Protein backbone atom coordinates (compact mmCIF):
# COMPACT_ATOMS: atom_id res chain seq x y z
CA UNK A 1 0.00 0.00 0.00
CA UNK A 2 1.30 3.43 -0.93
CA UNK A 3 1.86 5.72 2.06
CA UNK A 4 -0.62 8.54 2.68
CA UNK A 5 -3.31 6.86 0.57
CA UNK A 6 -6.90 6.32 1.63
CA UNK A 7 -8.11 7.84 4.87
CA UNK A 8 -5.07 8.55 7.05
CA UNK A 9 -4.35 9.40 10.67
CA UNK A 10 -1.03 11.27 10.76
CA UNK A 11 0.80 12.17 13.96
CA UNK A 12 3.93 14.36 13.85
CA UNK A 13 6.01 15.23 16.90
CA UNK A 14 8.15 18.36 16.90
CA UNK A 15 5.78 19.90 14.36
CA UNK A 16 6.16 23.54 15.39
CA UNK A 17 9.33 24.28 13.42
CA UNK A 18 12.05 22.96 11.14
CA UNK A 19 11.76 19.54 9.55
CA UNK A 20 8.63 18.60 11.49
CA UNK A 21 6.81 21.69 10.27
CA UNK A 22 7.86 21.02 6.67
CA UNK A 23 6.76 17.36 6.91
CA UNK A 24 3.30 18.53 7.96
CA UNK A 25 3.13 21.09 5.15
CA UNK A 26 4.31 18.55 2.55
CA UNK A 27 2.31 15.50 3.62
CA UNK A 28 -1.01 17.18 4.46
CA UNK A 29 -1.99 18.24 0.90
CA UNK A 30 -1.63 14.59 -0.18
CA UNK A 31 -4.29 13.40 2.26
CA UNK A 32 -7.89 12.76 1.32
CA UNK A 33 -10.89 14.35 3.06
CA UNK A 34 -11.73 12.45 6.22
CA UNK A 35 -8.05 12.19 7.16
CA UNK A 36 -6.86 13.57 10.48
CA UNK A 37 -3.59 15.12 11.64
CA UNK A 38 -2.32 15.51 15.22
CA UNK A 39 0.61 17.91 15.68
CA UNK A 40 2.67 17.71 18.87
CA UNK A 41 5.29 20.12 20.27
CA UNK A 42 5.89 22.36 23.27
CA UNK A 43 5.51 25.60 21.31
CA UNK A 44 1.76 26.15 20.89
CA UNK A 45 2.25 29.31 18.82
CA UNK A 46 4.46 27.40 16.39
CA UNK A 47 1.93 24.55 16.20
CA UNK A 48 -0.87 26.96 15.37
CA UNK A 49 1.28 28.52 12.65
CA UNK A 50 1.89 25.06 11.17
CA UNK A 51 -1.82 24.26 11.35
CA UNK A 52 -2.73 27.50 9.56
CA UNK A 53 -0.57 26.44 6.60
CA UNK A 54 -2.41 23.13 6.13
CA UNK A 55 -5.50 22.38 4.00
CA UNK A 56 -8.75 23.41 5.65
CA UNK A 57 -10.62 20.30 4.50
CA UNK A 58 -8.62 18.13 6.92
CA UNK A 59 -9.24 17.64 10.62
CA UNK A 60 -6.13 19.10 12.23
CA UNK A 61 -5.51 19.11 15.97
CA UNK A 62 -2.62 20.53 17.96
CA UNK A 63 -1.39 19.62 21.43
CA UNK A 64 1.19 21.61 23.33
CA UNK A 65 3.00 18.96 25.36
CA UNK A 66 6.47 18.57 26.88
CA UNK A 67 7.47 15.13 25.64
CA UNK A 68 10.44 15.04 28.02
CA UNK A 69 8.11 14.83 31.03
CA UNK A 70 4.91 13.33 29.58
CA UNK A 71 3.91 9.91 30.92
CA UNK A 72 2.27 7.10 28.95
CA UNK A 73 -1.04 8.12 30.54
CA UNK A 74 -0.48 11.73 29.43
CA UNK A 75 0.20 10.64 25.87
CA UNK A 76 -2.76 8.27 25.86
CA UNK A 77 -4.98 11.07 27.15
CA UNK A 78 -3.74 13.43 24.46
CA UNK A 79 -4.61 10.99 21.71
CA UNK A 80 -7.94 10.11 23.30
CA UNK A 81 -8.88 13.80 23.34
CA UNK A 82 -8.77 13.90 19.55
CA UNK A 83 -9.40 10.30 18.52
CA UNK A 84 -12.65 8.64 19.57
CA UNK A 85 -12.85 4.85 19.71
CA UNK A 86 -15.58 4.73 17.10
CA UNK A 87 -13.40 6.72 14.66
CA UNK A 88 -10.32 4.50 14.72
CA UNK A 89 -11.75 1.84 12.41
CA UNK A 90 -12.37 4.35 9.61
CA UNK A 91 -8.67 4.85 8.88
CA UNK A 92 -6.96 2.93 6.09
CA UNK A 93 -3.54 4.07 7.29
CA UNK A 94 -1.92 5.41 10.42
CA UNK A 95 1.47 7.12 10.26
CA UNK A 96 3.58 8.54 13.07
CA UNK A 97 6.65 10.68 12.46
CA UNK A 98 9.00 10.81 15.44
CA UNK A 99 10.76 14.10 14.79
CA UNK A 100 11.01 15.80 18.19
CA UNK A 101 14.49 15.86 19.67
CA UNK A 102 17.34 18.01 20.92
CA UNK A 103 21.13 18.33 20.69
CA UNK A 104 21.94 18.32 24.39
CA UNK A 105 25.08 20.00 25.69
CA UNK A 106 27.40 20.18 22.66
CA UNK A 107 30.18 22.07 24.41
CA UNK A 108 31.34 19.10 26.50
CA UNK A 109 33.72 16.26 25.80
CA UNK A 110 32.71 12.77 26.92
CA UNK A 111 34.93 12.86 30.03
CA UNK A 112 33.05 15.95 31.20
CA UNK A 113 29.60 14.33 31.00
CA UNK A 114 29.33 13.28 34.66
CA UNK A 115 25.87 14.51 35.67
CA UNK A 116 23.32 11.69 35.93
CA UNK A 117 20.41 14.14 35.92
CA UNK A 118 21.51 15.71 32.64
CA UNK A 119 21.90 12.26 31.07
CA UNK A 120 18.43 11.20 32.22
CA UNK A 121 16.78 14.39 31.02
CA UNK A 122 18.38 14.03 27.60
CA UNK A 123 17.32 10.41 27.21
CA UNK A 124 13.83 11.15 28.54
CA UNK A 125 13.16 13.41 25.55
CA UNK A 126 15.23 11.78 22.84
CA UNK A 127 14.96 8.04 23.52
CA UNK A 128 12.34 7.13 26.12
CA UNK A 129 9.66 9.57 24.95
CA UNK A 130 9.53 8.43 21.29
CA UNK A 131 9.60 4.78 22.39
CA UNK A 132 6.65 5.27 24.73
CA UNK A 133 4.76 7.51 22.30
CA UNK A 134 5.20 4.81 19.66
CA UNK A 135 3.80 2.17 21.99
CA UNK A 136 0.81 4.35 22.83
CA UNK A 137 0.22 4.91 19.12
CA UNK A 138 0.30 1.14 18.53
CA UNK A 139 -2.27 0.56 21.26
CA UNK A 140 -4.70 2.64 19.24
CA UNK A 141 -3.93 1.25 15.78
CA UNK A 142 -2.05 -2.04 16.22
CA UNK A 143 -5.23 -4.10 16.50
CA UNK A 144 -6.87 -2.55 13.42
CA UNK A 145 -6.54 -5.31 10.82
CA UNK A 146 -7.30 -3.19 7.77
CA UNK A 147 -5.12 -0.28 8.88
CA UNK A 148 -1.60 -0.16 7.39
CA UNK A 149 0.87 1.39 9.84
CA UNK A 150 3.92 3.47 8.90
CA UNK A 151 6.51 4.48 11.51
CA UNK A 152 9.06 7.16 10.56
CA UNK A 153 11.91 7.92 12.94
CA UNK A 154 13.95 11.00 12.08
CA UNK A 155 17.48 9.88 12.83
CA UNK A 156 20.94 11.14 11.87
CA UNK A 157 24.26 10.08 10.42
CA UNK A 158 25.41 10.65 14.01
CA UNK A 159 23.57 7.45 14.94
CA UNK A 160 26.22 5.60 12.92
CA UNK A 161 29.31 7.81 13.04
CA UNK A 162 30.87 9.42 16.14
CA UNK A 163 31.28 13.18 16.15
CA UNK A 164 33.35 14.96 18.76
CA UNK A 165 31.44 17.12 21.30
CA UNK A 166 28.15 15.51 20.20
CA UNK A 167 28.14 12.50 22.51
CA UNK A 168 24.65 13.14 23.89
CA UNK A 169 23.25 13.53 20.39
CA UNK A 170 25.16 10.63 18.81
CA UNK A 171 24.41 8.17 21.60
CA UNK A 172 20.77 9.22 21.80
CA UNK A 173 20.22 8.87 18.06
CA UNK A 174 21.92 5.46 18.08
CA UNK A 175 19.80 4.17 20.96
CA UNK A 176 16.60 5.56 19.48
CA UNK A 177 17.31 4.06 16.08
CA UNK A 178 18.08 0.65 17.55
CA UNK A 179 14.76 0.68 19.41
CA UNK A 180 12.95 1.11 16.11
CA UNK A 181 15.05 -1.59 14.45
CA UNK A 182 14.03 -4.04 17.18
CA UNK A 183 10.43 -2.84 16.91
CA UNK A 184 10.54 -3.51 13.15
CA UNK A 185 11.86 -7.03 13.70
CA UNK A 186 9.10 -7.76 16.21
CA UNK A 187 6.33 -6.22 14.06
CA UNK A 188 6.81 -7.39 10.45
CA UNK A 189 3.41 -6.03 9.39
CA UNK A 190 4.46 -2.47 10.25
CA UNK A 191 6.52 -0.39 7.82
CA UNK A 192 9.38 1.25 9.76
CA UNK A 193 11.83 3.77 8.31
CA UNK A 194 14.78 5.38 10.09
CA UNK A 195 15.34 8.45 7.91
CA UNK A 196 18.53 10.53 8.18
CA UNK A 197 17.75 13.95 6.65
CA UNK A 198 21.32 15.12 6.11
CA UNK A 199 22.59 18.56 7.18
CA UNK A 200 19.55 20.83 7.03
CA UNK A 201 19.15 24.60 7.28
CA UNK A 202 17.37 24.72 10.62
CA UNK A 203 17.92 26.42 13.95
CA UNK A 204 19.67 23.23 15.12
CA UNK A 205 22.37 23.74 12.48
CA UNK A 206 22.85 27.34 13.64
CA UNK A 207 23.27 26.16 17.23
CA UNK A 208 25.91 23.61 16.24
CA UNK A 209 27.80 26.21 14.22
CA UNK A 210 27.86 28.55 17.20
CA UNK A 211 28.12 26.32 20.27
CA UNK A 212 29.79 23.01 19.42
CA UNK A 213 32.91 22.58 21.54
CA UNK A 214 35.24 20.80 19.14
CA UNK A 215 36.98 23.23 16.79
CA UNK A 216 37.28 20.72 13.93
CA UNK A 217 33.56 19.92 14.04
CA UNK A 218 32.70 23.62 14.32
CA UNK A 219 34.77 24.38 11.22
CA UNK A 220 33.08 21.59 9.27
CA UNK A 221 29.57 22.78 10.07
CA UNK A 222 30.35 26.44 9.48
CA UNK A 223 31.66 25.52 6.04
CA UNK A 224 28.23 24.07 5.30
CA UNK A 225 26.71 27.45 6.13
CA UNK A 226 29.36 29.55 4.42
CA UNK A 227 29.23 27.52 1.20
CA UNK A 228 25.44 27.19 1.40
CA UNK A 229 25.63 23.42 0.91
CA UNK A 230 23.24 22.46 3.70
CA UNK A 231 19.87 21.17 2.54
CA UNK A 232 16.63 23.08 2.75
CA UNK A 233 13.86 21.48 4.84
CA UNK A 234 11.78 21.25 1.66
CA UNK A 235 14.48 19.31 -0.19
CA UNK A 236 15.05 16.70 2.50
CA UNK A 237 11.33 16.23 3.16
CA UNK A 238 10.73 15.75 -0.57
CA UNK A 239 13.40 13.04 -0.47
CA UNK A 240 11.74 11.46 2.58
CA UNK A 241 8.46 11.28 0.71
CA UNK A 242 10.19 9.73 -2.30
CA UNK A 243 11.80 7.06 -0.09
CA UNK A 244 8.43 6.24 1.47
CA UNK A 245 6.65 6.02 -1.88
CA UNK A 246 9.30 3.89 -3.58
CA UNK A 247 9.73 1.62 -0.52
CA UNK A 248 13.09 0.27 -1.73
CA UNK A 249 14.17 -0.46 1.83
CA UNK A 250 13.71 -3.21 4.35
CA UNK A 251 11.53 -2.21 7.28
CA UNK A 252 13.77 -0.86 10.03
CA UNK A 253 16.53 0.28 7.67
CA UNK A 254 18.55 3.46 8.12
CA UNK A 255 18.17 5.50 4.93
CA UNK A 256 20.17 8.70 4.48
CA UNK A 257 19.18 11.57 2.19
CA UNK A 258 22.24 10.82 0.05
CA UNK A 259 21.68 7.07 -0.23
CA UNK A 260 20.92 5.61 -3.63
CA UNK A 261 18.29 2.88 -3.26
Amino acid sequence: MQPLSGTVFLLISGASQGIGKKIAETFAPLLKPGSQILLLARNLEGLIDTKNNLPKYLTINTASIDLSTASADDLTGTMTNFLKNDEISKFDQAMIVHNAGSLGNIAQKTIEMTNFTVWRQYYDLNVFSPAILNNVFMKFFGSQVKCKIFIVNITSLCALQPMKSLAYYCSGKAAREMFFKVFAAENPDVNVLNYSPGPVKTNMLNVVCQDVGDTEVKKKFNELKDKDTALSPEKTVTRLLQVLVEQNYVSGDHVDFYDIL
Side-chain angles (χ1 to χ4, degrees), residues 33 75 83 127 137 168 200 252:
L75 297 171
L83 188 61
V127 181
F137 183 83
Y168 286 115
V200 185

Side-chain angles (χ1 to χ4, degrees), residues 23 25 29 49 65 90-91 97 120 140 144 148 158 165 167-169 178 194 236 239 246 261:
I23 289 172
E25 293 172 349
D49 183 64
I65 185 169
K90 78 175 185 180
F91 294 107
V97 181
R120 291 183 182 114
F140 280 83
Q144 301 298 310
K148 178 63 179 177
C158 289
S165 292
Y168 286 115
Y169 186 72
M178 184 52 70
N194 288 293
T236 194
R239 175 60 175 150
E246 293 177 351
L261 302 180

